Amino acid sequence: MPYSTGTVPTVFVEKLKAVQEVQWMNVCLGVHECDFCPEDEAPEGNGEVRIPGGPGIAYAAPFLITHYVTAHGYRPPQAFIDAVLAVDLDTWAATRWPDVPFPWVPDDVERLLE
């Protein structure tokens, strides 16, 4: 399937990586390999990252999203980029997962702890 491509701000990629260091969820049995990379070089991912949007909105993306952006030129929707850029990393880093209050994450989600 075709997907949107284009450049994204470097600060977006850096912040997305920082978010992924403190939060990921819905980890599944097994892993998914990148379908675009040669099989012997394909990174593996498992689970999702969640990003808060406006009131009542949450974005879920596969944990390999940073790879898709940096290695394959994927350009997420602008609303997702804006939401990632709006994340307050100082609050997240000070509180640390899983104690960060994530109202957009369902209570029954499987949380992967460090």
Side-chain angles (χ1 to χ4, degrees), residues 6-58:
T7 60
V8 296
T10 302
V11 67
F12 163 74
V13 175
E14 292 170 359
K15 190 169 265 193
L16 184 57
K17 286 178 182 179
V19 167
Q20 289 179 298
E21 288 180 16
V22 297
Q23 187 256 97
W24 65 100
M25 61 196 51
N26 289 343
V27 176
C28 303
L29 295 175
V31 294
H32 172 78
E33 292 182 351
C34 175
D35 294 329
F36 303 111
C37 289
E39 189 174 327
D40 60 334
E41 298 173 20
E44 297 176 339
N46 192 343
E48 300 174 337
V49 61
R50 296 279 175 96
I51 304 294
I57 297 174

Side-chain angles (χ1 to χ4, degrees), residues 58-90:
Y59 298 98
F63 208 73
L64 281 176
I65 188 168
T66 304
H67 168 75
Y68 298 140
V69 168
T70 58
H72 303 295
Y74 171 61
R75 188 178 197 292
Q78 189 62 47
F80 179 80
I81 292 171
D82 293 343
V84 169
L85 293 174
V87 169
D88 182 352
L89 284 176
D90 292 334

Side-chain angles (χ1 to χ4, degrees), residues 21-25 92 95-103 105 109-114:
E21 288 180 16
V22 297
Q23 187 256 97
W24 65 100
M25 61 196 51
W92 285 24
T95 310
R96 294 297 292 176
W97 177 259
D99 300 319
V100 176
F102 291 127
V105 176
V109 72
E110 179 184 339
R111 297 173 186 218
L112 181 62
L113 305 175
E114 291 180 10

